[in-house]
Amino acid sequence: YGKSSSKKAIRIIESALTRNINFFDISPAYGISEKILGKLLKKKKRDEVFLASKCGISKFSEKKNFNPNFLIQQLDKSLNNLETEYLDLVQLHNPEKEILKNLNLIKPFMKEKKKGKFRAFGLSIKNPLDFFHLKNFDLIDSIQVNLNILDTRVIKLGIEKECKRNNIALIS
């Protein structure tokens, strides 16, 4: 979060790669992160890294947009920026309760998964309580939530167990 120079970002990513860190969580809302990462990853075999990006927010200062056509445009732009043909994971970026209650609204977007543009679909939720607005787990491969020594709501609320029961990966 906050401003960082491209040179510093490149040094951080190169350092991660030399330490065999291969999971990269990015978003169009994170500035030029996708473009920087795309240029650096050309040196790696695509199957050596796991790319997780998000859709629904272009900039945190702008309104969220979960219209399937916008999500497809964002996905295509991310693929172009990352210079790759597919993402390992695409997540909705902090979707509102209305979207969580009716994921069928984004079914047209899910056709992009069948086309091979992404391999798994998930949700990056801002508040763990948002998890309880989900009515259907069929489309979801993963949930990303805050979980750390100071914030253990995922465990206390039983979200971890519910994800396990529904074969949903938990990213914290």
Side-chain angles (χ1 to χ4, degrees):
Y1 296 98
K3 297 261 180 193
S4 184
S5 73
S6 294
K7 287 181 183 179
K8 183 177 180 183
I10 290 167
R11 281 195 313 273
I12 291 169
I13 294 167
E14 286 175 338
S15 176
L17 290 169
T18 61
R19 289 169 171 76
N20 294 320
I21 294 171
N22 67 346
F23 180 93
F24 294 94
D25 174 34
I26 47 199
S27 167
Y30 302 161
I32 60 170
S33 62
E34 291 180 337
K35 286 185 178 185
I36 292 171
L37 192 58
K39 291 193 184 332
L40 289 173
L41 292 180
K42 281 200 268 187
K43 303 171 191 172
K44 295 293 250 180
K45 290 181 183 173
R46 177 60 184 88
D47 63 350
E48 292 178 351
V49 294
F50 190 98
L51 296 176
S53 194
K54 300 178 182 81
C55 292
I57 301 174
S58 294
K59 294 180 183 175
F60 289 114
S61 60
E62 295 177 1
K63 189 176 181 198
K64 299 174 191 176
N65 185 348
F66 296 102
N67 176 289
N69 291 329
F70 178 76
L71 298 176
I72 292 167
Q73 288 173 359
Q74 247 190 345
L75 171 62
D76 289 340
K77 187 174 181 184
S78 291
L79 292 171
N80 186 52
N81 287 341
L82 289 161
E83 301 183 40
T84 187
E85 293 183 16
Y86 69 93
L87 293 172
D88 297 288
L89 172 64
V90 170
Q91 300 173 97
L92 294 187
H93 204 162
N94 300 338
E96 285 95 359
K97 294 170 189 159
E98 297 76 35
I99 300 294
L100 296 172
K101 288 177 183 178
N102 188 6
L103 285 178
N104 287 332
L105 294 172
I106 59 134
K107 276 207 172 177
F109 174 67
M110 297 306 291
K111 291 177 184 174
E112 304 304 298
K113 183 178 182 183
K114 290 179 182 162
K115 293 179 185 176
K117 290 185 182 181
F118 60 94
R119 295 187 171 173
F121 174 75
L123 304 168
S124 175
I125 56 177
K126 191 170 189 171
N127 183 331
L129 291 173
D130 290 345
F131 177 84
F132 297 104
H133 294 287
L134 289 167
K135 302 294 178 211
N136 181 354
F137 296 120
D138 292 345
L139 299 176
I140 304 168
D141 298 302
S142 70
I143 303 272
Q144 184 176 30
V145 291
N146 287 340
L147 174 62
N148 57 59
I149 197 164
L150 299 175
D151 187 351
T152 59
R153 292 176 291 173
V154 172
I155 296 168
K156 289 179 184 174
L157 294 169
I159 295 170
E160 173 212 15
K161 288 180 182 174
E162 192 65 28
C163 284
K164 192 177 256 185
R165 190 174 12 264
N166 286 284
N167 200 28
I168 298 171
L170 191 61
I171 302 169
S172 58

